Amino acid sequence: MSTERGLKDSIAGTVAGAACLFTGHPFDTIRVRLQTSNTPIGIMECFRNTIKYEGFGGLYKGVTSPLFGMMFETAVLFAGYGQMKVLLQKDENTPLTVGQCAIAGGFAGVGASVVLTPVELVKCRLQVQTTGPQKYKGSLDCLVQILKEGGIRGAYRGFTPTIAREFVGNMAFFSTYETCKRYFKNKENKPNDDDDELNLPALIISGGLGGMAYWTVLYPVDVAKSKIQISEGVGPSPSILKVLKEIYSKEGVKGLFRGYTPTIIRSFPANAAMFSVYELVIKLLG
C-alpha cells in the first residue's frame, strides 16, 4: 500500500468517523442506558426521561470523548483495512474475494480496538450519568480519574470483549458492505475491481446493511462489554462469560439483547453516513 493511499484512507476515515458519530450518538446513548439499567426499561420511556430531565443535550452526553477518538479509530480502521487488502492480494489484477475482505476487516478491527477501548470506556461512564451528583465533569476529567484509579490497565477495562466484537463485527461489516457493492456494480455492469464511485443510494444501502450486520453478529458481547466498562474498581475485570451468565440467569435471552432495537435503528443511518462520506472523500482526494 502506497503512503499516499494510506494517507487518503486515514483522512477519509477521519471525516467518516465524525459523520457516523453525529448521526448515531443519540441512539448510542439510549443503547448504553438500556444495556446497563438495573431495571428493564423501554426505548421510548428511556428517550422521554432523557429529554425530560436532561434536555436534548442529554442525548449527546459523552460525545466529546468519541468525537476525536472515533475519528482516529475510524482512520485506523480504514487504513488497516486497506493495508490488509494489499497484504492478501496476490495478483493486483484479481479482486479479493468477499472472504478475504472479511479477514481484512477482522484484523483491521483488532487494530482499531486499541484506540476504541478507552474511548468507549469514557463514553459509557459519561452516558450512564443521568441526574443527581456527577462523578465526572467531562471526558477529560473522566479519563484522568480512571488513570488515577487504575492506570493504563484501568483505561483498557473491557479490552477483551471489545476485540471480540471488533474482530467478528468487522468481518461481518466489510463482507456485507463489499457484497452489496458488488451486487450494485453488477446491476450497473461495472467490474468488481472498478473503483469508480457508485451512486449515493447504493452507498447508503451498502453501508447501512454493513452496519446492521456488524451489530447483529455478536451483540450479547457488546452488552457484556458495557456492563464491564461501567463497573468501577481497580481489580481485574469480570470475564465475558461470567457477565453473560449473570445476565442470562436474571433476564434470560431477552437480557442478552437489551438495547438491540435502538442499536439497529442507529446502525443503518450512522454507518450509511460513514461509508458514504468515506467513499465521497476518497473520490474528492483523487
Side-chain angles (χ1 to χ4, degrees), residues 70-181:
M70 187 170 183
M71 289 166 68
F72 183 44
E73 178 264 330
T74 312
V76 171
L77 179 67
F78 279 103
Y81 180 59
Q83 180 66 74
M84 285 301 302
K85 287 202 297 182
V86 170
L87 292 174
L88 291 170
Q89 192 160 29
K90 296 178 180 179
D91 180 2
E92 62 181 18
N93 295 316
T94 304
L96 294 178
T97 65
V98 171
Q100 288 174 314
C101 290
I103 293 170
F107 281 101
V110 171
S113 300
V114 177
V115 179
L116 194 58
T117 303
V119 169
E120 289 207 341
L121 175 64
V122 171
K123 177 180 68 69
C124 287
R125 293 277 178 93
L126 291 173
Q127 284 177 321
V128 296
Q129 281 193 159
T130 53
T131 56
Q134 306 283 296
K135 179 178 179 180
Y136 307 114
K137 297 175 183 177
S139 298
L140 182 59
D141 179 58
C142 181
L143 179 60
V144 169
Q145 288 196 47
I146 289 169
L147 289 171
K148 282 183 178 179
E149 293 170 2
I152 295 297
R153 183 175 180 178
Y156 277 87
R157 194 173 188 86
F159 186 51
T160 301
T162 300
I163 283 185
R165 186 195 68 187
E166 290 301 300
F167 182 75
V168 178
N170 279 298
M171 287 185 71
F173 196 17
F174 284 102
S175 61
T176 301
Y177 178 62
E178 293 290 348
T179 298
C180 291
K181 278 180 65 178

Side-chain angles (χ1 to χ4, degrees), residues 25-44:
H25 193 79
F27 294 103
D28 190 64
T29 298
I30 299 301
R31 171 184 68 87
V32 171
R33 291 185 176 184
L34 290 174
Q35 286 180 338
T36 58
S37 173
N38 292 323
T39 56
I41 183 173
I43 300 170
M44 292 310 298

Side-chain angles (χ1 to χ4, degrees), residues 30-43 219-220 222-224 226-227 247 250-263:
I30 299 301
R31 171 184 68 87
V32 171
R33 291 185 176 184
L34 290 174
Q35 286 180 338
T36 58
S37 173
N38 292 323
T39 56
I41 183 173
I43 300 170
Y219 187 78
D222 184 67
V223 177
S226 294
K227 290 277 191 182
I247 295 171
K250 293 177 182 177
E251 303 175 55
V253 174
K254 187 176 181 180
L256 298 175
F257 286 88
R258 191 192 277 193
Y260 179 72
T261 302
T263 300

